[in-house]
Amino acid sequence: MPKPPRNTRKPASSARSTRSQSPYAASHSSAGKSRESSAAESRPALRDTKTRSAKPASKARPARNAEPASAPAVAKSAKPQRRPDSFPDSAHAQKQQPARARIQTDCAVVARRAADRLRSGHLWVYATELEQSPTVATPDATSGAPALIPVTDTRGLLLGTALYSPQSQIPLRLISREPVSPAQWPSLLEQRLRTAIAQRLPLLNADNTACRLVFSEADELPGLILDKYGDLFLLQLLMQPLATEATRDLVARVLQQSFADACPQFTLWERPDPRIRILEGIAEAPTAPLAAAQKDSPASETIFRMNGLRFHYNAAAGQKTGAFLDQKENYVAAARWARERKALGRALDVCTYQGGFALHLAQVCRTVTGVDASRAALEVAEANLALNREAISGDLDWMEADAFTLLRDLAEPVSGSAAARDWDLIVLDPPAFAKSRRAVEGALRGYKELNLRALRMLRPGGVLVTCSCSHHVSLSDLEATVAAAAIDAHRRVRVLERRGAAIDHPVILNLPETEYLKCLICEVLP
């Protein structure tokens, strides 16, 4: 008996297995992932699986470029057909070429997450989001640090131009969505400086001689802070590429042209942040003033006005740039709500620093106590009190104490006893508890404890002014913390007002970090 013809077809499962294990299938399943784009350069030539078939040879589909079956065979059909990707100059080859190969080497290439955030209006790129660091950059003449860098996504599409600080955890901060050359940067910097200053000029008057003139990213000048205290001006340069003589000279020139006539003691000082200077790798700042109307005896101390009250200022002392200008409008709001809610008896200002809230409340409350752990700050607060005796009607005293310890003692004077609910108004304005995201959980515990103690001390109808200056703690986080504290204190709390930083600290909705200060003004219900 003749043997049946041998079946030459491969099982279907075998064909599927071969396709799923081919290099093309593995790469196609991960197409679009930037982290794997570099692997495409070393990938073997693709096998044309479309010309293979599990069907008998007589029914096989012709290749895409093959001649029709009825056409006579010609000599060129004997040549092996070359794959499209073997022509490096063809359009198909350009389409298959990995995106990274088309990116310039002097660009910063960022991951997809960072690219999406930049397209949404944010300005920062974190160090962990750099797919390719710049290798060629324009060095600064003084420090040699790279300055302006084009930023692209992994496809080579330009996202903008950024200041580059290689040592920073935020190495890229966008200054423009368009290409900006080093030659164009000084004029752009000057234009934005003048625009920011012009926007603040209407805020300055006889009762308010202090103001934040430039607020970093919110004024399109990342890493640059500029404050005015009377005739003194304070500059902070918080990025390595900004800390140059050219930047300092430009800022000094613009300020002199804008304020020299109105400020006879005009003096510009640079006030570096020690912690930021180390993190960013910034060189030591000059110890001499950057500019001064009286060069032989430059002023370093002055008295400025805020909401009609007078405050001492020393350019070489204090936190931040020396005073809390961001709370300027909240000082007034606290006194206004004290009046409206008849909370005019006893007031407590916790973490008073140099007496900002306390001095404003002493204009309407009978007795005010300012508490702070820093003796140096309280000495300045006492000097500020002496300047404003005529404007203050209430009794104001100071107490050096730890906020947590003091509130615990006041809320529970005797172990197991109920708190004496006889305070009319309490202000909680602690320093930033959360310097990073990892510290948020502990910070919220700290905020809750302070608010819990304060709520136990307030009388029915009393007012709580509670603040957070940690940008990692959102307004919703603060509200939830105060709500949890109210539950534990068995009090019902009504929100009277939600507030933030003063108007000279603008907020960019696309950049949540600019909304760092939150202030809740609440009423304790009977």
Side-chain angles (χ1 to χ4, degrees):
M1 178 179 296
K3 295 183 180 179
R6 191 173 182 179
N7 187 354
T8 60
R9 291 192 300 172
K10 294 182 178 180
S13 60
S14 174
R16 286 194 296 269
S17 175
T18 302
R19 182 175 300 136
S20 64
Q21 296 176 6
S22 68
Y24 175 76
S27 63
H28 183 71
S29 64
S30 60
K33 296 183 179 179
S34 60
R35 293 183 180 179
E36 298 180 8
S37 60
S38 60
E41 298 177 358
S42 59
R43 203 171 285 150
L46 309 183
R47 299 184 63 183
D48 192 357
T49 57
K50 292 185 178 180
T51 59
R52 298 173 61 91
S53 174
K55 296 182 180 181
S58 60
K59 295 184 179 181
R61 294 179 61 185
R64 180 177 296 180
N65 297 327
E67 297 291 339
S70 58
V74 291
K76 67 177 181 179
S77 63
K79 295 182 179 180
Q81 185 179 352
R82 299 180 70 182
R83 292 185 297 275
D85 60 349
S86 63
F87 295 90
D89 297 330
S90 68
H92 182 82
Q94 293 178 2
K95 206 176 282 187
Q96 294 293 326
Q97 187 75 2
R100 187 170 298 178
R102 302 197 303 270
I103 297 173
Q104 302 176 9
T105 57
D106 59 347
C107 291
V109 182
V110 301
R112 179 175 179 179
R113 179 180 178 182
D116 291 343
R117 189 169 62 252
L118 294 179
R119 289 192 177 99
S120 70
H122 208 284
L123 301 179
W124 293 357
V125 175
Y126 296 97
T128 55
E129 298 171 327
L130 273 178
E131 293 284 327
Q132 174 182 301
S133 298
T135 56
V136 179
T138 303
D140 172 70
T142 302
S143 65
L148 298 177
I149 298 294
V151 182
T152 72
D153 62 11
T154 53
R155 297 172 295 171
L157 300 178
L158 182 69
L159 297 169
T161 305
L163 291 169
Y164 178 52
S165 183
Q167 189 171 322
S168 173
Q169 292 299 308
I170 309 175
L172 295 174
R173 302 191 191 205
L174 233 59
I175 60 164
S176 175
R177 306 285 168 178
E178 305 295 332
V180 176
S181 68
Q184 295 171 316
W185 170 239
S187 60
L188 181 61
L189 172 60
E190 180 175 350
Q191 173 194 340
R192 291 180 177 178
L193 269 174
R194 294 187 182 278
T195 298
I197 292 171
Q199 291 173 346
R200 272 51 169 215
L201 288 179
L203 306 178
L204 297 170
N205 50 53
D207 288 335
N208 289 280
T209 61
C211 182
R212 172 147 292 181
L213 298 175
V214 177
F215 185 34
S216 196
E217 283 85 353
D219 287 304
E220 300 183 286
L221 290 171
L224 196 153
I225 299 289
L226 184 60
D227 287 345
K228 176 185 184 298
Y229 297 96
D231 288 359
L232 299 189
F233 296 79
L234 264 291
L235 174 66
Q236 279 193 332
L237 301 175
L238 305 176
M239 283 194 75
Q240 187 187 75
L242 284 179
T244 65
E245 292 303 318
T247 301
R248 296 182 179 101
D249 292 344
L250 192 151
V251 172
R253 175 169 56 82
V254 171
L255 285 177
Q256 286 177 315
Q257 294 173 355
S258 303
F259 294 102
D261 293 339
C263 301
Q265 299 291 326
F266 172 87
T267 310
L268 172 62
W269 296 90
E270 184 173 348
R271 176 83 180 268
D273 185 310
R275 175 175 170 270
I276 297 298
R277 188 181 65 81
I278 294 174
L279 291 175
E280 296 283 332
I282 301 173
E284 290 282 353
T287 55
L290 303 181
Q294 299 181 3
K295 296 183 179 180
D296 294 335
S297 57
S300 60
E301 297 185 23
T302 190
I303 295 174
F304 68 92
R305 286 185 175 270
M306 182 193 301
N307 303 322
L309 297 176
R310 295 190 294 169
F311 292 83
H312 283 277
Y313 179 73
N314 188 329
Q319 300 179 28
K320 296 186 177 179
T321 58
F324 293 162
L325 298 178
D326 49 6
Q327 291 281 25
K328 177 172 60 178
E329 296 170 11
N330 295 332
Y331 295 154
V332 176
R336 172 169 53 83
W337 280 110
R339 252 188 319 263
E340 292 188 10
R341 286 298 184 267
K342 308 300 181 185
L344 306 177
R346 301 176 67 196
L348 181 66
D349 180 12
V350 180
C351 301
T352 187
Y353 187 45
Q354 296 178 353
F357 276 106
L359 289 166
H360 285 78
L361 291 172
Q363 294 178 298
V364 297
C365 297
R366 288 189 299 272
T367 303
V368 179
T369 300
V371 179
D372 204 278
S374 169
R375 176 175 289 274
L378 292 179
E379 289 175 352
V380 178
E382 179 63 24
N384 291 336
L385 173 60
L387 287 175
N388 296 282
R389 286 288 184 185
E390 296 180 358
I392 291 175
S393 57
D395 294 331
L396 177 55
D397 63 342
W398 313 106
M399 182 183 298
E400 181 182 353
D402 174 74
F404 289 94
T405 302
L406 177 67
L407 288 182
R408 183 170 61 249
D409 293 342
L410 292 176
E412 299 175 4
V414 180
S415 178
S417 66
R421 296 179 175 179
D422 56 358
W423 292 89
D424 293 273
L425 188 146
I426 297 178
V427 175
L428 302 175
D429 186 21
F433 287 162
K435 297 291 187 180
S436 65
R437 289 191 180 277
R438 290 176 293 182
V440 168
E441 185 177 351
L444 294 179
R445 288 196 299 268
Y447 288 128
K448 181 181 178 181
E449 181 177 346
L450 290 179
N451 284 276
L452 171 63
R453 307 295 182 187
L455 288 171
R456 286 178 175 172
M457 297 163 54
L458 285 166
R459 66 165 175 80
V463 175
L464 172 66
V465 181
T466 181
C467 307
S468 168
C469 59
S470 302
H471 82 260
H472 294 290
V473 175
S474 66
L475 178 60
S476 59
D477 290 335
L478 180 61
E479 290 182 346
T481 300
V482 175
I487 293 173
D488 290 353
H490 305 290
R491 310 300 295 269
R492 294 175 62 238
V493 174
R494 173 192 292 146
V495 175
L496 298 176
E497 192 174 4
R498 296 178 176 91
R499 303 185 59 85
I503 194 172
D504 54 0
H505 293 65
V507 171
I508 305 299
L509 293 180
N510 311 74
L511 194 64
E513 290 78 4
T514 57
E515 193 174 13
Y516 68 98
L517 178 61
K518 298 91 183 174
C519 177
L520 284 178
I521 302 181
C522 306
E523 179 184 16
V524 177
L525 297 178

